[in-house]
Amino acid sequence: MNILVCISKTPDTTAKIAFVEGNTKFDENGVQWIINPYDEWYSLVRAIELKEKNPNVIIHLITVGGADTEPIIRKALALGGDEAIRVNNTSNDSMVVAQEIAAVAKGGAYDMILTGKETIDYNSASIGSMLCALLDTTFIPNAISLDVNGNTAIVKREIEGGEETCETNIPFILSCQKGMAEQRIPNMRGIMAARTKPLKVLEATIHNETTSIQQFDIPPAKSGVKLVDPSNMDELVRLLKEEAKVI
Amino acid sequence: MVLIYIDQDEQEIKKASFEAISYGAALAKQLGTHAEGILLGTVKESVEALGKYGVSIVHQVTNSGLNNFDASVHATVVTEAAKKLGATVIVFAHNINGKAIAPAVAVKLNAGLVAGACALPKTDAGFVVTKTVFSGKAFASIKIETPIKVISVNQNSFGVIVGEGNATLENLDLPVPASKIKITSIDKIKGEVPLTEASLVVSGGRGLKGPENWGILLDLAKALGASTACSRPVSDADWRPHHEHVGQTGIQIAPNLYIAIGISGAIQHLAGVNRSKTIVVINKDPEAPFFKAADYGVIGDAFEVVPALTAAILKSKAGA
């Protein structure tokens, strides 16, 4: 069984968010890069768990980005990916990224494609749904559990106000979130093995961007917290009613 | 024409759709065109009443198979509707279902997508939509370069605008592909407003010391008519159910009012709640980082402050 896990590079959750070049580019100075947590903790680790149950599983990793994404993809290999492809395209347009992944997936006969539910930088939650249209394959978003029985997958997913359990047959695409698996730390053996695992670089083939980022802005700082005396909750209620007008 | 996807669940129109319609109607006005809706499946309530949010016509594909959500099927039908009706902008709510189909519709229509818009586009020079990025820590202005555009609107970012009028309901006959997903069970928490749709949220953290102390928080939520949430350590310790976890890896919410009780405000927690309109922080530690992100703060013991706040709310409600 071939699983394709999509890996994105994102700034660490505690990274300082700032912009340069007239607020048109993210300031990468001093930023620590990580595997997008949804891609790592949920989709990649679940794929590794499936491989631990079934040795016939092969975990293929794909990332779309420049050479600076290689430490990230090596870490994913160290965690337990078998082989990796990097498509050398630095576009920020989800449509371009999804088309690059689809081009690889079309030639790969993957039984399932796993993505995180969104990236923590652009928060678009788009790649899984775009792959669904590009590959004409079933897509189940916000998956919180996945079990595979022969050709059938049993998936639990979050819906608003609850959970839904469903079944589908391979091939399919899932976007994964909390519940799917628990975070792991790569061990020394994994880190050593990752150095020699295959990492193939493909040249970019998609160049037509459908969107372009014009500018970034940092939201204005809060004007400062207004402290209310703990013995005067009537005043807090008045502020929420008359000033904030939220109750 | 601006076409708005009307999301339904168990044959009830989702609240998020009212905001999407309001946004789409305002956008249509800005572009000098009109707004229409597309509804898949059947609903129990009046579809005509959606006119008050600004749609003149609602097209309905009344195939009961569409009452079960399947991203692939729904995206195909919405795409065919958009083509047949000649829509130039397709608007979705950026909720679970909207996120699942808007990108697929964008692919099928060769359209540029902005997922998670938080304001109307600027259309004086091109078509530039602002969205939140970096989990609410920044905004990006994104230009859509294609003739057809797809936008999903962040919940609680634009607001619901209620006017007058009724929409005309028109049946739309489109082929519906068979779903390859079999839904075997649906498990819903009864009687609660889903967190993502709640306008008032009361949330508790480790400062409450244990699940047995949640009564004061639940009383406050009840007095306000608010939904309840919690921080990650609380759900990890099983003090509260996982579906209440808000934050970077939990649910991201944007209510009008978020009251955080005994939550220090780690950056990962803020990433899930920083789009809230008003934030109240109750914490006995004056150094809690959450105070920097708060509009109102109370430095004090939650076990005294929260019951006092509940009493003040009940008193105010009784007075009004």
Side-chain angles (χ1 to χ4, degrees):
Chain A
M1 176 171 287
N2 288 293
I3 306 180
L4 182 66
V5 179
C6 304
I7 300 287
S8 179
K9 182 191 83 162
T10 58
D12 186 25
T13 49
T14 56
K16 183 174 160 38
I17 304 303
F19 302 97
V20 290
E21 294 179 27
N23 278 347
T24 56
K25 267 187 93 170
F26 177 59
D27 183 1
E28 302 192 357
N29 192 18
V31 168
Q32 179 116 25
W33 297 96
I34 57 169
I35 305 175
N36 178 45
Y38 295 107
D39 301 347
E40 178 187 340
W41 303 355
Y42 308 122
S43 51
L44 174 57
V45 175
R46 187 60 193 145
I48 295 166
E49 289 172 351
L50 292 175
K51 187 182 169 76
E52 285 164 352
K53 279 193 221 163
N54 174 2
N56 294 327
V57 168
I58 301 171
I59 302 172
H60 307 261
L61 308 174
I62 185 164
T63 190
V64 178
D68 57 348
T69 54
E70 294 206 355
I72 297 304
I73 203 86
R74 285 281 173 212
K75 189 190 170 194
L77 288 168
L79 280 162
D82 291 303
E83 52 181 73
I85 293 170
R86 174 172 73 82
V87 184
N88 191 30
N89 191 329
T90 56
S91 175
N92 276 327
D93 185 9
S94 307
M95 191 73 82
V96 170
V97 173
Q99 284 176 322
E100 292 283 16
I101 296 171
V104 171
K106 271 178 188 154
Y110 300 105
D111 298 297
M112 63 178 97
I113 302 177
L114 306 182
T115 74
K117 79 158 179 179
E118 64 181 56
T119 59
I120 62 166
D121 49 7
Y122 293 100
N123 307 116
S124 290
S126 301
I127 299 298
S129 173
M130 286 180 171
L131 290 175
C132 159
L134 290 165
L135 300 169
D136 194 19
T137 302
T138 303
F139 170 52
I140 302 178
N142 301 84
I144 51 181
S145 84
L146 160 68
D147 285 293
V148 183
N149 188 356
N151 284 338
T152 306
I154 301 110
V155 178
K156 212 182 258 187
R157 74 174 185 106
E158 185 197 332
I159 55 174
E160 264 134 22
E163 293 172 4
E164 176 187 283
T165 309
C166 58
E167 290 178 12
T168 194
N169 289 330
I170 56 170
F172 59 87
I173 302 160
L174 288 192
S175 77
C176 306
Q177 66 176 52
K178 194 181 179 192
M180 206 56 170
E182 293 293 331
Q183 187 181 7
R184 287 189 183 190
I185 294 164
N187 57 28
M188 196 38 92
R189 212 174 115 227
I191 294 168
M192 298 303 285
R195 292 185 185 173
T196 53
K197 284 181 181 172
L199 195 171
K200 192 158 82 180
V201 178
L202 301 177
E203 276 318 307
T205 56
I206 311 292
H207 303 285
N208 289 336
E209 296 200 324
T210 57
T211 61
S212 60
I213 296 175
Q214 306 284 298
Q215 192 183 313
F216 291 101
D217 291 291
I218 300 281
K222 289 247 178 188
S223 52
V225 57
K226 194 178 269 187
L227 289 175
V228 181
D229 187 328
S231 62
N232 192 358
M233 285 300 100
D234 290 332
E235 172 64 5
L236 179 57
V237 172
R238 187 192 69 78
L239 288 167
L240 292 176
K241 249 183 149 164
E242 293 171 13
E243 194 177 77
K245 297 188 173 73
V246 288
I247 60 171
Chain B
M1 184 264 284
V2 176
L3 184 66
I4 301 127
Y5 174 72
I6 297 163
D7 190 16
Q8 59 120 334
D9 179 40
E10 295 188 325
Q11 295 186 273
E12 276 181 33
I13 295 169
K14 305 220 71 164
K15 194 186 118 192
S17 298
F18 306 153
E19 186 176 23
I21 296 171
S22 302
Y23 181 99
L27 174 57
K29 203 171 167 195
Q30 184 178 327
L31 297 173
T33 178
H34 58 283
E36 300 179 8
I38 174 80
L39 170 65
L40 308 192
T42 54
V43 293
K44 292 171 189 155
E45 64 220 89
S46 155
V47 176
E48 287 86 348
L50 294 173
K52 66 174 178 283
Y53 304 111
V55 273
S56 53
I57 303 170
V58 175
H59 305 273
Q60 185 175 17
V61 185
T62 54
N63 178 318
S64 62
L66 291 168
N67 288 346
N68 287 334
F69 183 80
D70 177 328
S72 173
V73 171
H74 281 233
T76 301
V77 178
V78 173
T79 302
E80 292 311 312
K83 281 184 187 161
K84 193 165 175 176
L85 302 167
T88 51
V89 185
I90 301 97
V91 174
F92 297 82
H94 195 58
N95 63 351
I96 287 184
N97 289 354
K99 285 177 194 177
I101 55 176
V105 170
V107 165
K108 288 168 185 279
L109 293 172
N110 296 318
L113 163 75
V114 172
C118 56
L120 284 171
K122 290 194 189 80
T123 46
D124 44 350
F127 195 100
V128 180
V129 193
T130 302
K131 67 165 283 185
T132 52
V133 288
F134 297 100
S135 307
K137 283 173 250 172
F139 298 109
S141 300
I142 297 178
K143 187 176 182 189
I144 304 184
E145 313 271 6
T146 51
I148 295 179
K149 284 117 182 143
V150 176
I151 301 172
S152 62
V153 186
N154 251 346
Q155 284 179 269
N156 277 354
S157 66
F158 185 75
V160 177
I161 296 165
V162 185
E164 280 178 18
N166 277 316
T168 314
L169 181 61
E170 287 188 6
N171 266 314
L172 187 61
D173 197 15
L174 288 173
V176 177
S179 173
K180 289 178 186 159
I181 300 174
K182 191 174 100 192
I183 297 170
T184 50
S185 71
I186 292 176
D187 187 12
K188 279 217 173 164
I189 306 115
K190 292 284 169 212
E192 278 182 39
V193 180
L195 264 179
T196 48
E197 293 200 350
S199 56
L200 307 172
V201 175
V202 179
S203 186
R206 260 183 303 193
L208 283 172
K209 294 191 170 74
E212 66 280 8
N213 296 327
W214 240 257
I216 54 169
L217 186 151
L218 298 177
D219 288 345
L220 174 59
K222 198 174 160 205
L224 279 168
S227 293
T228 55
C230 68
S231 66
R232 177 170 175 176
V234 166
S235 82
D236 282 356
D238 282 329
W239 292 1
R240 297 294 296 169
H242 281 271
H243 66 79
E244 284 198 0
H245 165 204
V246 292
Q248 177 91 69
T249 53
I251 297 172
Q252 285 102 45
I253 56 172
N256 289 331
L257 174 62
Y258 183 74
I259 302 183
I261 302 166
I263 301 176
S264 64
I267 198 161
Q268 290 85 352
H269 185 77
L270 295 181
V273 302
N274 57 11
R275 291 191 295 109
S276 308
K277 286 213 170 71
T278 299
I279 294 178
V280 175
V281 170
I282 300 171
N283 205 303
K284 68 177 180 193
D285 175 10
E287 302 296 318
F290 217 151
F291 283 116
K292 288 201 178 77
D295 299 285
Y296 303 102
V298 182
I299 301 168
D301 183 350
F303 296 100
E304 289 164 18
V305 172
V306 174
L309 177 57
T310 306
I313 284 161
L314 291 173
K315 192 170 86 185
S316 154
K317 284 198 170 167

